[in-house]
Amino acid sequence: MHAVRHRALSRAAATDQRLAEDTAEAAGRARTDGERALSAELFVLAAELTPVNRPALRLSRFLTAAREAAAAGDSDLTRRAATAVAASRPTPAEHVAALLAVVDSHSQALAGAAGLLERCRRLASSDPQSLAAVELRAAIRANVSNSDPHEALRAARKAAELARSAGRPVLEAAALTMRARMERVLNEGDSRATLDRALALDVAAEADGIGNSPQYLAARHAIFDDRLAEARSRLTVLLARAEQHGQEEDLVDIWRSLAEVEVRSGACAKALTWAGKALDASVAAGLSLGPACYTAALAQSAGGSFAAALRYAAYGERAAREEGDVLHRNRNLWMTGAVRLHTGDINGAVTAFALLGRTEDGHRPPDPSVFRWQPDAIEVLVAAGELTSAQNMILTFPATARQESATGAGWTRARALFLARAGETDRAVELLRAASEVFRRDGLPLEEARTHLARGRIQRAHRRQAAARTAFQDARDLYVLARARPMLATVQEHLDRLDGQGRSRGREKGRATLTDSEARLADLVSRGATNQQAAQQMYISVKTVESMLSRIYRKLHIRSRTQLLAALTMHTG
């Protein structure tokens, strides 16, 4: 194939029938082998070499080149081929197909595609098949760039009807898949029945891109429902198909989904591997980086480091924002807010979730299993002392969601933290135990461990040392098995500080005049914790921290936090 490419590039004549045939044959082999970028270049060369007295064949090769270049994510080569198609007196259907290839080549960066899509609608006004393809792209754009699932659902329904009337099962399967995706997001219609209709068409997963296939959406729905063994099995089958027939974007989608499955399953090392492959491939192929960075941030927050997770989330949010990809901008904001919550940066977490909420609350009446940001946002609001806002968000829990599901358990954990802050400690502990049982039942060890950690913090804040230690140890055991390094370090710090608080009882003089809570706060502040971080660790408000610090300063006869460490050291027995 590369030898043919070299011959085509170094040709003596502008056109050459025999060399054109050899180049087209090599392009077909490259496509079969999954080398879509090489295939696209070879089809362009084959088209250019085709004699001008064979215009139909020349146009056909340019159109194939445009589609192959779009599959490879090469927008420049796609435009070059599409421009050649437009100059070759195409039929309206051929012209639409070339323009849609240009749309497809932009991956997630669809914000500026409205004009192209409207032009396609005008060209395809009397052709149901072409119109179906246009409406399918419009549905994808509405979901990704506009964060408007209602518009996406309308366009997907229209695309499915047009494809069915045109007798195009491949296109109908893709449109029904998009419709099922949006019905799930909106809790509108019967998403499962729609997906079953798409699967019943028995179209090969790679026929219109694996990411658009009903087989892939069935795997995604299994992830949303925490049917992780099923999701892993479906994705493994699709991975084999993508490696044989798919395009780079298909591989990235599958690797990203496998990373999500392994994070939920508590296999952090595997998650990091899949996420790393997705990110490397996205960079190498020039694909949109918002999705892969989100997955990298998710995997790093579970098994790598919080610092790396924040870096990836920041890069992904910026990349998605520049491309107009609202969907993955918000997912990266979620990761930013969640990680800042875990590290005690409550102000930063509040900012991230406020930015996210302004988009999501206005456009996505959610199936909460699809995008699980709200429980983290509630926990952040509780930690910041914004209890009214937290309560208002708790009340948005969708009536269609099941409390006994893992998604429901996430909301239960958030509600328990709110109740603990409101003084209902025993009820909060009871809810946390119930949530941890759901997570254990569904095989979600990181969620179970996080729930034990929350219970330990509440117990410690109420000086129930033995109960707190047991909860922290339960969390630690799960994090160790999962190799969840960032949260393991966090829970170990809690255990170490719990032991240190026990030892502090033997200290004499001024230190002994502090209450347990004051001694705990003094330890935190002397180690460099901000008021916000101390409030998060102790489950109290920032105002309470400030008043307690004033009492500590008074008892130790000091005036500022800079004198605190010296005062504690001096008063240690």
Side-chain angles (χ1 to χ4, degrees):
M1 290 183 289
H2 289 282
V4 173
R5 172 180 175 274
H6 180 72
R7 285 170 52 207
L9 288 171
S10 58
R11 63 188 183 269
T15 62
D16 184 322
Q17 175 65 28
R18 178 172 295 180
L19 184 54
E21 295 301 324
D22 290 346
T23 306
E25 182 183 348
R29 290 200 306 272
R31 178 170 54 186
T32 300
D33 292 345
E35 297 187 48
R36 309 302 285 270
L38 177 59
S39 171
E41 184 184 9
L42 287 171
F43 272 120
V44 166
L45 291 170
E48 291 173 344
L49 284 162
T50 302
V52 293
N53 62 0
R54 303 192 66 183
L57 181 58
R58 186 180 177 92
L59 186 153
S60 173
R61 285 172 174 167
F62 274 127
L63 183 54
T64 303
R67 288 169 170 153
E68 288 297 291
D74 188 335
S75 57
D76 290 337
L77 188 58
T78 306
R79 284 188 177 278
R80 174 181 162 189
T83 300
V85 169
S88 303
R89 296 185 178 180
T91 66
E94 290 168 334
H95 198 175
V96 168
L99 292 176
L100 291 181
V102 175
V103 173
D104 292 344
S105 72
H106 285 85
S107 186
Q108 304 293 123
L110 297 174
L116 266 179
L117 290 173
E118 190 54 41
R119 184 180 175 192
C120 287
R121 283 193 182 97
R122 291 195 299 271
L123 286 167
S125 59
S126 59
D127 179 3
Q129 178 182 336
S130 296
L131 271 177
V134 174
E135 292 303 329
L136 177 57
R137 270 63 171 199
I140 295 169
R141 179 180 178 273
N143 183 45
V144 170
S145 296
N146 293 3
S147 192
D148 189 345
H150 293 286
E151 176 57 32
L153 179 55
R154 283 192 292 271
R157 284 173 171 164
K158 186 174 181 180
E161 291 168 4
L162 287 164
R164 183 169 61 256
S165 69
R168 306 300 296 182
V170 172
L171 190 53
E172 184 183 358
L176 285 171
T177 299
M178 189 63 191
R179 173 180 163 181
R181 181 179 284 117
M182 292 300 100
E183 286 175 342
R184 170 86 189 229
V185 167
L186 292 168
N187 281 315
E188 183 175 329
D190 190 338
S191 175
R192 180 174 298 180
T194 302
L195 182 56
D196 286 344
R197 281 178 57 194
L199 290 166
L201 290 170
D202 199 25
V203 171
E206 67 274 11
D208 193 36
I210 290 175
N212 299 323
S213 71
Q215 294 92 329
Y216 180 68
L217 185 61
R220 292 298 301 169
H221 282 191
I223 295 174
F224 299 155
D225 294 333
D226 294 300
R227 295 179 275 115
L228 301 180
E230 178 189 338
R232 188 184 290 108
S233 176
R234 287 181 178 276
L235 290 167
T236 301
V237 171
L238 290 173
L239 180 59
R241 302 293 292 173
E243 289 172 339
Q244 184 178 2
H245 300 291
Q247 56 201 55
E248 202 69 11
E249 197 162 4
D250 289 333
L251 285 167
V252 168
D253 284 343
I254 294 167
W255 289 332
R256 290 181 55 240
S257 288
L258 283 167
E260 287 185 49
V261 169
E262 301 306 349
V263 166
R264 298 290 287 171
S265 300
C268 293
K270 290 182 180 179
L272 286 167
T273 297
W274 291 124
K277 287 172 71 72
L279 185 59
D280 290 345
S282 296
V283 172
L287 300 176
S288 300
L289 291 180
C293 283
Y294 157 68
T295 306
L298 176 67
Q300 285 289 337
S301 70
S305 76
F306 286 141
L310 284 174
R311 286 197 301 273
Y312 284 124
Y315 193 93
E317 189 273 331
R318 184 167 62 251
R321 177 163 33 86
E322 289 172 353
E323 293 185 335
D325 179 358
V326 176
L327 195 69
H328 289 96
R329 171 183 175 268
N330 287 352
R331 277 154 176 74
N332 280 290
L333 282 171
W334 174 30
M335 284 298 100
T336 298
V339 172
R340 293 199 181 282
L341 167 65
H342 294 321
T343 58
D345 179 6
I346 303 305
N347 284 338
V350 167
T351 299
F353 280 116
L355 288 171
L356 192 166
R358 280 200 286 273
T359 302
E360 288 295 314
D361 288 344
H363 295 279
R364 292 182 178 266
D367 174 342
S369 67
V370 176
F371 184 25
R372 308 184 190 203
W373 66 278
Q374 295 99 328
D376 286 343
I378 293 167
E379 187 171 343
V380 166
L381 292 171
V382 170
E386 298 181 19
L387 299 188
T388 300
S389 296
Q391 185 175 34
N392 289 339
M393 184 170 280
I394 288 170
L395 294 175
T396 67
F397 182 75
T400 53
R402 294 180 296 112
Q403 293 280 1
E404 73 276 9
S405 67
T407 300
W411 284 74
T412 297
R413 181 176 59 211
R415 187 158 60 95
L417 296 170
F418 169 81
L419 291 173
R421 189 63 173 271
E424 297 185 43
T425 304
D426 292 338
R427 176 60 177 153
V429 170
E430 177 185 336
L431 288 176
L432 289 171
R433 290 188 188 280
S436 66
E437 286 301 317
V438 173
F439 292 134
R440 181 181 297 116
R441 179 202 69 196
D442 287 355
L444 305 171
L446 298 191
E447 294 292 346
E448 182 188 349
R450 180 175 170 184
T451 309
H452 291 319
L453 178 57
R455 193 176 81 249
R457 284 170 164 166
I458 291 171
Q459 299 283 31
R460 187 197 59 210
H462 290 79
R463 291 178 285 186
R464 300 170 181 175
Q465 312 292 25
R469 183 173 284 103
T470 298
F472 289 147
Q473 288 170 341
D474 288 344
R476 181 183 61 188
D477 292 345
L478 289 166
Y479 285 138
V480 167
L481 287 173
R483 296 172 65 182
R485 294 189 298 173
M487 292 304 293
L488 177 59
T490 297
V491 77
Q492 188 60 55
E493 182 180 359
H494 282 298
L495 282 165
D496 291 344
R497 289 179 175 180
L498 193 64
D499 291 338
Q501 181 174 323
R503 288 192 298 271
S504 73
R505 294 179 183 276
R507 294 175 182 171
E508 303 295 331
K509 301 180 183 177
R511 184 72 176 270
T513 68
L514 301 180
T515 66
D516 285 340
S517 295
E518 289 167 350
R520 171 80 177 118
L521 177 59
D523 277 334
L524 287 171
V525 172
S526 68
R527 296 183 191 189
T530 65
N531 288 3
Q532 283 275 10
Q533 291 166 340
Q536 165 71 4
Q537 295 287 342
M538 296 183 68
Y539 256 86
I540 57 179
S541 70
V542 175
K543 288 185 178 179
T544 301
V545 167
E546 292 169 352
S547 62
M548 284 177 63
L549 276 176
S550 296
R551 291 198 302 273
I552 291 168
Y553 296 163
R554 214 164 37 244
K555 290 181 179 182
L556 297 181
H557 306 292
I558 59 176
R559 294 184 177 181
S560 69
R561 62 197 305 131
T562 58
Q563 299 172 299
L564 187 56
L565 180 58
L568 294 178
T569 303
M570 180 178 65
H571 289 299
T572 299

